[in-house]
């Protein structure tokens, strides 16, 4: 299992609330619609909350500004991912997703990378949502 982690920063013309609303209610459903074709097996959005805790943790650790959210997409394997994006339909979808992301994400301040999870503590079950 591999996972793409997307650390997103919003476009400067959007508030965090506008960014998160668009991501959740437009981009999320757009991706859901094509997830099977894209061979994605899980998709999670984590939206940054407005709390003084964020400023405190950044200052205490000497970190830069927080992201506006983190998206995670899982595939069974690199092979599945490469097959999905290498197909004509996958190429079409990639164009659709990138075009939509340009409406709310600042790519120059965002980051994306692939990971393999190593779960070290798991005392709570994963939430099941619709």
């Amino acid at each position: 299992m591999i996972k793409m982690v997307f650390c997103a920063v919003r476009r400067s013309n959007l508030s965090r609330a506008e960014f998160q609303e668009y991501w959740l209610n437009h981009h999320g459903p757009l991706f859901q619609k094509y997830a099977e074709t894209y061979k994605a097996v899980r998709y999670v959005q984590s939206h940054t909350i407005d709390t003084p805790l964020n400023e405190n943790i950044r200052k205490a650790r000497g970190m830069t500004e927080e992201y506006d959210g983190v998206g995670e997409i899982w595939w069974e394997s690199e092979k599945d991912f490469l097959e999905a994006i290498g197909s004509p339909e996958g190429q079409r979808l990639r164009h659709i997703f990138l075009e939509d992301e340009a409406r709310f994400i600042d790519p120059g301040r965002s980051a994306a990378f692939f990971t393999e999870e190593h779960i070290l503590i798991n005392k709570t079950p994963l939430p099941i949502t619709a």
Side-chain angles (χ1 to χ4, degrees):
M1 185 86 55
I2 64 164
K3 175 172 59 171
M4 184 183 75
V5 177
F6 193 110
C7 302
V9 174
R10 70 186 181 271
R11 289 173 48 116
S12 61
N13 63 319
L14 298 175
S15 69
R16 179 173 282 163
E18 290 170 325
F19 163 84
Q20 291 175 343
E21 190 281 328
Y22 187 90
W23 188 23
L24 184 63
N25 296 310
H26 181 79
H27 190 76
L30 176 66
F31 189 83
Q32 284 175 308
K33 180 178 177 181
Y34 298 108
E36 189 172 326
T37 302
Y38 221 56
K39 296 190 177 188
V41 297
R42 183 174 167 89
Y43 174 48
V44 174
Q45 293 181 1
S46 297
H47 294 209
T48 300
I49 59 174
D50 290 320
T51 173
L53 294 173
N54 289 331
E55 181 72 16
N56 293 342
I57 196 76
R58 279 197 323 276
K59 284 183 179 179
R61 295 177 181 228
M63 295 178 166
T64 61
E65 69 177 310
E66 75 268 8
Y67 295 103
D68 293 299
V70 176
E72 299 171 296
I73 306 170
W74 282 257
W75 287 270
E76 289 292 337
S77 66
E78 285 185 52
K79 180 180 178 275
D80 279 359
F81 171 75
L82 292 171
E83 285 176 0
I85 65 164
S87 71
E89 181 65 4
Q91 289 294 310
R92 186 181 78 79
L93 291 176
R94 182 176 180 273
H95 177 74
I96 289 170
F97 298 148
L98 288 173
E99 185 178 273
D100 191 55
E101 288 171 4
R103 293 184 175 103
F104 68 106
I105 292 172
D106 180 340
R109 295 173 52 214
S110 300
F113 47 91
F114 285 86
T115 69
E116 183 178 273
E117 280 190 351
H118 300 274
I119 299 171
L120 304 177
I121 297 173
N122 188 20
K123 291 186 177 186
T124 60
L126 292 173
I128 299 174
T129 59

